[in-house]
Amino acid sequence: MKSKTFNSRKKYLLILGAILFIEFIVLAVNPYDRRDWLLENFLVLIFIGFLFKTYKKFPLSKISYTLIFVFLFLHEIGAHYTYSLVPYDSFFESVFGRTLNSILGWERNNFDRLVHFSYGLLLAYPLREMFLRIADVKGFWGYFLPLDITMSTSMIYELIEWTAAEFFGGELGAAYLGTQGDVWDAHKDMLLASTGALITMAITLLINSYLKRDFTKEWIQSLKVKHPEPLGEEEIKHILKKK
């Protein structure tokens, strides 16, 4: 039964991988800015390699793989056009006769905002699965830590963008940074990622509270003090005594 489940998950992962690979190859042809495309895909290739290398020892759920797939699919579109030039407005106008920006009152290309929001919305659940299965967190911590990691990694990514923009400079730095003249761009991106993760954790919490009979008990237990003795200097003294 376990082997059958593993094979089913492996097949599903290979299908998602094949679709993503096809998209990657298609969008690798004549990207708007080849150097920016390479920068945008550097971390992605490392991440995908990590997923395929660990799927045997640490397979994720199909839900998690699907959420990761959707995020990477969106990212590849942004990498091809550069995030500030994705022509979603032209496509929307060709279908509905009006641009999405004119309907919503937007003045900038907001595809990058969508992907930052999706970062939290789509990746918070895989992070939760990781925390539950590796760190064995329970209750409150199973919802707070994915949100916390989403917020911190979003901040780290903004620092990476800033560093890359300073290092490469010129048009490449500006394309990778993608602020579109908004001095608060990084702050808004982090807020959107955090909001997306908060929504996902809230939905997960509601589902679990409905399905799990011991939800309240587990939540309360997770907030109880397990080790009343203080650490810090007390722990140092304890370790030295043991030596």
Side-chain angles (χ1 to χ4, degrees):
M1 183 68 180
K2 187 176 180 180
S3 177
K4 186 177 180 181
T5 302
F6 176 80
N7 289 333
S8 173
R9 188 183 294 109
K10 179 182 178 181
K11 183 179 179 181
Y12 185 72
L13 181 58
L14 288 173
I15 291 172
L16 293 183
I19 296 172
L20 191 63
F21 180 73
I22 292 170
E23 183 204 23
F24 180 84
I25 294 300
V26 171
L27 295 182
V29 178
N30 296 323
Y32 181 83
D33 187 322
R34 177 63 68 184
R35 294 180 302 167
D36 180 67
W37 180 83
L38 289 170
L39 274 177
E40 296 285 3
N41 281 298
F42 177 71
L43 292 176
V44 169
L45 291 176
I46 294 174
F47 179 61
I48 291 176
F50 175 78
L51 286 178
F52 274 94
K53 190 170 180 62
T54 59
Y55 83 94
K56 286 185 178 180
K57 290 185 177 180
F58 189 70
L60 297 173
S61 64
K62 289 182 180 180
I63 292 175
S64 288
Y65 281 134
T66 303
L67 294 173
I68 293 170
F69 165 78
V70 174
F71 174 76
L72 293 177
F73 194 93
L74 290 172
H75 171 77
E76 286 307 312
I77 296 172
H80 176 81
Y81 291 102
T82 75
Y83 272 93
S84 57
L85 296 175
V86 174
Y88 67 84
D89 239 5
S90 300
F91 173 77
F92 198 88
E93 186 177 22
S94 68
V95 176
F96 299 101
R98 289 185 62 186
T99 65
L100 182 63
N101 276 18
S102 66
I103 295 173
L104 298 176
W106 293 344
E107 296 181 358
R108 74 189 296 279
N109 189 304
N110 277 313
F111 188 81
D112 63 327
R113 300 270 196 255
L114 168 66
V115 176
H116 278 283
F117 176 72
S118 298
Y119 176 74
L121 188 73
L122 299 174
L123 299 190
Y125 185 83
L127 282 171
R128 170 179 160 79
E129 185 172 345
M130 179 190 73
F131 274 115
L132 264 61
R133 295 171 58 197
I134 296 178
D136 197 28
V137 298
K138 299 182 185 301
F140 168 79
W141 305 107
Y143 304 93
F144 171 75
L145 290 175
L147 173 61
D148 182 55
I149 291 296
T150 300
M151 295 173 72
S152 60
T153 52
S154 181
M155 179 272 292
I156 290 170
Y157 183 74
E158 294 299 331
L159 293 177
I160 292 173
E161 278 193 338
W162 172 41
T163 302
E166 288 285 344
F167 180 79
F168 292 106
E171 292 183 4
L172 176 58
Y176 187 64
L177 200 58
T179 61
Q180 300 183 58
D182 187 352
V183 296
W184 302 109
D185 180 71
H187 304 75
K188 293 175 182 177
D189 290 345
M190 289 186 285
L191 174 63
L192 284 167
S194 302
T195 303
L198 185 62
I199 291 172
T200 295
M201 289 299 97
I203 294 172
T204 305
L205 186 147
L206 289 172
I207 293 173
N208 284 336
S209 65
Y210 175 75
L211 295 176
K212 296 175 67 175
R213 288 181 297 177
D214 60 344
F215 175 83
T216 303
K217 181 180 178 181
E218 183 181 278
W219 185 276
I220 294 171
Q221 183 64 28
S222 70
L223 295 173
K224 285 185 177 180
V225 178
K226 311 302 188 298
H227 304 284
E229 300 83 6
L231 297 177
E233 71 285 353
E234 300 292 335
E235 181 64 12
I236 292 173
K237 289 178 184 178
H238 178 71
I239 293 171
L240 290 174
K241 283 181 179 180
K242 287 178 68 176
K243 279 191 173 183

